Amino acid sequence: MRVRQGAVAASGRLGFLEGIQPPLALGEQEINRVLRDDNRLVEDVSTHLLRGGGKRLRPALILMAGEIWQGPADLLVPVAAAAELIHMATLVHDDTMDRAQLRRGLPTVNAVWGVHVAILTGDYLFAKAFSLLAATGDNRAVRVMADVVFQMCTGEIAQHAQAFDPDQTEAEYLDRIDKKTAYFIAECCRLGGLLSGASAEEQEALRDFGYGIGMGFQIIDDILDLSASAQKLGKPIGSDLRCGVITLPVIHALHHSPQREHIAHLIRTRNLGDKEVEEIRHRVERCGGLHYALRMAERFTEHARRRLDALPSAPAREALREMAAYLVRREY
């Protein structure tokens, strides 16, 4: 899964982001502005994830979708910044619940400052995001993002209920990643059009595009959790398995591997160390689980790319098409 040639510009940036560099930079400045605080500890904790970098996928999608209709930067930029703050909040909470020690190659907030500070930090980031949205004076953005958080929470609850359960189905997995990942990405795409004057039909096409790349993005993440190096991931290989999160490649193995009963037994022990993770990873690969998941990610992404044909012709539309191709071919 290599990035196709041409996706990275000579500057080292991803080529499809070149058209939104000014508003993307303004969004980054806005994030840093709202997280400044007289209390040094509050500022250090809330900006900790920023030091690990990140793809800025969600703000980029809002800005790229809005660019098709040359939407108002003074509205799109703060909404894009708020989307990234919401994403950061969910990462802090996820790491806390999973007791993760690394994120983007850095110690997690809970690893450095403890569980109580981490939970409050996630709440703080949510509050900052919604304050930013409210300050735009556009209640549409507030309503959309409130619904996004609701969906993510229901997906997280379902994931917790299904932890270490080898009997869960592919349909349950797809519903979970829809709520936890794809719904947010889909609404970021739709929101960029909504705030920029897109028609209802165009907004629906944007939402379908976002849903497709969101599903593909999460499936690729789940593949990489079992196939990439810890150095590229910025966290241990098999982190999902260790936390009891059963992803699509593993579900495929649980239905098709000759050793499926043994894999199920290992999962039920709830004690998956390096040896057990490596054994399951090997069984998944041997029965074609990674290949199966990759094909599904490509199908979701290809459908997403086709939905862009319903949008006005514009450089930003083609940038979205290129982004979709990149996301399904990335290595980390």
Side-chain angles (χ1 to χ4, degrees):
M1 288 176 288
R2 295 187 177 277
V3 177
R4 74 173 180 179
Q5 293 182 352
V8 180
S11 64
R13 293 194 295 248
L14 293 169
F16 51 78
L17 297 179
E18 288 297 308
I20 59 162
Q21 281 304 313
L24 201 57
L26 288 173
E28 202 73 9
Q29 291 173 20
E30 186 73 346
I31 291 170
N32 281 283
R33 181 189 69 78
V34 300
L35 294 183
R36 287 195 203 103
D37 197 279
D38 293 337
N39 186 313
R40 181 62 181 272
L41 175 61
V42 171
E43 184 170 332
D44 284 349
V45 174
S46 64
T47 59
H48 182 69
L49 268 184
L50 293 176
R51 292 189 279 277
K55 301 177 184 66
R56 303 296 188 264
L57 172 62
R58 291 150 189 85
L61 286 169
I62 290 172
L63 296 171
M64 291 167 78
E67 181 64 19
I68 295 174
W69 292 271
Q70 298 183 333
D74 59 341
L75 179 56
L76 290 168
V77 167
V79 170
E84 185 63 18
L85 289 170
I86 290 170
H87 178 55
M88 288 168 58
T90 65
L91 295 182
V92 172
H93 281 167
D94 285 352
D95 287 342
T96 305
M97 289 184 290
D98 296 342
R99 300 177 185 175
Q101 298 298 299
L102 287 175
R103 166 73 66 178
R104 298 172 179 169
L106 294 176
T108 57
V109 172
N110 52 287
V112 177
W113 288 282
V115 170
H116 296 296
V117 170
I119 292 171
L120 291 170
T121 299
D123 295 345
Y124 177 83
L125 292 169
F126 275 128
K128 285 289 187 180
F130 279 94
S131 291
L132 198 53
L133 290 170
T136 66
D138 195 316
N139 285 334
R140 296 174 299 174
V142 177
R143 287 196 299 269
V144 167
M145 287 304 179
D147 189 46
V148 162
V149 173
F150 164 75
Q151 293 292 339
M152 286 193 293
C153 288
T154 60
E156 189 65 44
I157 291 168
Q159 180 171 288
H160 178 75
Q162 294 168 335
F164 296 103
D165 177 11
D167 297 323
Q168 62 191 268
T169 66
E170 186 175 295
E172 289 172 325
Y173 163 82
L174 293 174
D175 181 67
R176 191 175 73 231
I177 68 169
D178 175 3
K179 290 181 170 69
K180 279 179 55 66
T181 303
Y183 193 91
F184 191 1
I185 291 173
E187 288 300 282
C188 283
C189 291
R190 186 176 74 86
L191 192 54
L194 171 67
L195 300 177
S196 303
S199 69
E201 293 77 12
E202 290 164 339
Q203 290 175 43
E204 191 61 26
L206 280 169
R207 195 198 180 286
D208 290 346
F209 169 77
Y211 170 78
I213 66 168
M215 295 294 281
F217 177 85
Q218 185 58 59
I219 293 170
I220 293 296
D221 255 16
D222 294 342
I223 293 170
L224 294 174
D225 187 62
L226 293 171
S227 63
S229 68
Q231 182 178 7
K232 286 184 176 179
L233 287 174
K235 57 184 180 180
I237 295 172
S239 294
D240 289 332
L241 265 176
R242 296 169 200 265
C243 296
V245 179
I246 313 303
T247 58
L248 183 60
V250 179
I251 290 172
H252 181 83
L254 285 164
H255 286 85
H256 297 90
S257 171
Q259 289 81 32
R260 54 186 175 272
E261 291 301 328
H262 180 57
I263 296 171
H265 168 72
L266 290 176
I267 291 169
R268 287 192 181 100
T269 66
R270 295 175 173 254
N271 186 25
L272 299 173
D274 291 345
K275 179 182 175 183
E276 291 78 16
V277 167
E278 177 55 29
E279 182 176 354
I280 294 174
R281 190 205 65 77
H282 176 69
R283 301 299 183 191
V284 167
E285 190 169 15
R286 284 290 297 273
C287 77
L290 298 178
H291 180 79
Y292 175 80
L294 177 59
R295 295 285 83 82
M296 185 174 289
E298 289 175 337
R299 287 196 296 273
F300 273 116
T301 305
E302 184 52 37
H303 176 71
R305 283 159 57 88
R306 287 197 297 270
R307 288 296 282 136
L308 291 174
D309 294 337
L311 304 179
S313 178
R317 186 188 73 172
E318 299 315 306
L320 286 171
R321 200 184 303 276
E322 189 176 350
M323 174 188 269
Y326 160 74
L327 290 176
V328 83
R329 290 178 171 85
R330 64 199 166 90
E331 291 185 303
Y332 56 93

